[in-house]
Amino acid sequence: MTARASARQLDVIAFGAHPDDVEIFAGGIVCTMTAAGYKVGVVDLTAGELGTRGSKKVRRMEAAAAAKIMGISVRENLELPDGNIERTVPNRNVVVRVLRTFRPEIILIPAPDCRHPDHPDAAQLITDAVFHAGLSKVGVRSLDGVDLEPFRPDHVLHYMQSIPFEPSIVVDVSATWEQRMQAINAYGSQVHNPDYDADNNEPKTFVSDPGFIKWIEARARAFGYRIGAEYGEPLLYRHGPIGTADLVRMLRS
């Protein structure tokens, strides 16, 4: 028996290596899409259990709170090992299952290069899965044991993390900026939060430094300025040039 899972179809899936990656680096884009009525899912590859601050349980609760703020339709955690996102066939097939189940037109994936090795490792695993998800001889079943039809998303885009790139697209996220900041702040154990009672073994991190959120805002203002908006978030299109039959209409939009 074959399943299309059309009842579960999403317009977009945003993948993160850890809970909070999507909110921190593409939260405005996600909030802008949900505000426009698109069905968006967030899929975290790991539970972030190696994180310096917080715990697996705390981060799970924070992720659920952030999902509600962003208005997404689905949130899944694939429970791959944090700090060890390997390009193995079993790991790849877990991502293939997600793609074939939810059949998104667009996926957002981690940066191709980043200070945290899990981010580019996740990006490579996901792009491997995108290719294999479309192969008819790669058999993958749903969680309830139904064979899933081959499928590939039409568009794959990287969101920017700690290492900058020249973007293909900058999305105006001005209208949802406050909402996306609420989603980031749901991760009280991870970002700067004066009310978070950190244990003695939880020192300040790159993300929990008060300057980090200021940097996120400053970068969004800089990219927004480039497109005539208050805030913008950059994306790198993975598939080469974007085609159009009507240049004027495309540029006007």
Side-chain angles (χ1 to χ4, degrees):
M1 183 168 63
T2 301
R4 284 187 178 276
S6 58
R8 305 181 70 190
Q9 184 166 355
L10 297 172
D11 297 302
V12 182
I13 291 179
F15 286 92
H18 317 97
D20 76 14
D21 283 348
V22 170
E23 287 86 346
I24 290 173
F25 298 108
I29 297 169
V30 170
C31 290
T32 298
M33 291 187 294
T34 59
Y38 296 110
K39 290 186 177 180
V40 182
V42 173
V43 175
D44 307 307
L45 269 62
T46 80
E49 65 271 17
L50 294 185
T52 302
R53 296 162 65 92
S55 66
K56 188 174 180 179
K57 180 180 179 180
V58 167
R59 297 190 74 170
R60 183 168 60 247
M61 292 188 298
E62 292 172 341
K68 187 174 181 180
I69 292 168
M70 293 189 296
I72 60 176
S73 301
V74 172
R75 184 158 209 153
E76 284 200 0
N77 193 298
L78 303 186
E79 298 286 349
L80 300 184
D82 190 12
N84 190 29
I85 299 176
E86 296 183 313
R87 295 170 66 185
T88 64
V89 172
N91 286 354
R92 187 180 71 212
N93 284 344
V94 169
V95 181
V96 169
R97 176 188 62 78
V98 170
L99 295 173
R100 289 184 177 182
T101 297
F102 294 110
R103 312 180 80 80
E105 181 180 353
I106 298 167
I107 63 171
L108 309 182
I109 68 173
D113 192 15
C114 187
R115 63 183 290 276
H116 195 315
D118 275 359
H119 298 162
D121 286 350
Q124 191 59 66
L125 175 64
I126 296 162
T127 53
D128 289 350
V130 167
F131 181 80
H132 284 82
L135 298 178
S136 60
K137 293 184 179 179
V138 173
V140 172
R141 292 187 171 184
S142 67
L143 293 178
D144 55 0
V146 178
D147 292 331
L148 296 169
E149 282 192 353
F151 170 82
R152 285 194 187 114
D154 293 332
H155 306 286
V156 180
L157 300 105
H158 296 278
Y159 51 85
M160 188 181 293
Q161 295 187 271
S162 63
I163 296 179
F165 51 67
E166 184 60 27
S168 311
I169 301 169
V170 175
V171 180
D172 181 353
V173 297
S174 308
T176 59
W177 185 257
E178 294 304 320
Q179 180 186 3
R180 68 97 72 231
M181 292 307 296
Q182 290 175 22
I184 290 180
N185 289 327
Y187 291 91
S189 69
Q190 303 301 306
V191 299
H192 178 63
N193 176 13
D195 297 326
Y196 177 64
D197 186 17
D199 293 337
N200 291 331
N201 63 342
E202 293 185 341
K204 184 171 67 175
T205 66
F206 177 74
V207 174
S208 70
D209 188 291
F212 179 78
I213 293 297
K214 294 179 181 178
W215 172 65
I216 289 291
E217 180 174 359
R219 188 165 77 176
R221 285 187 178 274
F223 279 108
Y225 185 80
R226 292 179 63 176
I227 62 168
E230 186 174 6
Y231 295 103
E233 290 182 351
L235 294 169
L236 179 64
Y237 190 63
R238 191 172 175 87
H239 298 294
I242 298 172
T244 181
D246 190 335
L247 180 63
V248 174
R249 182 177 179 181
M250 184 186 75
L251 294 177
R252 281 177 177 170
S253 68

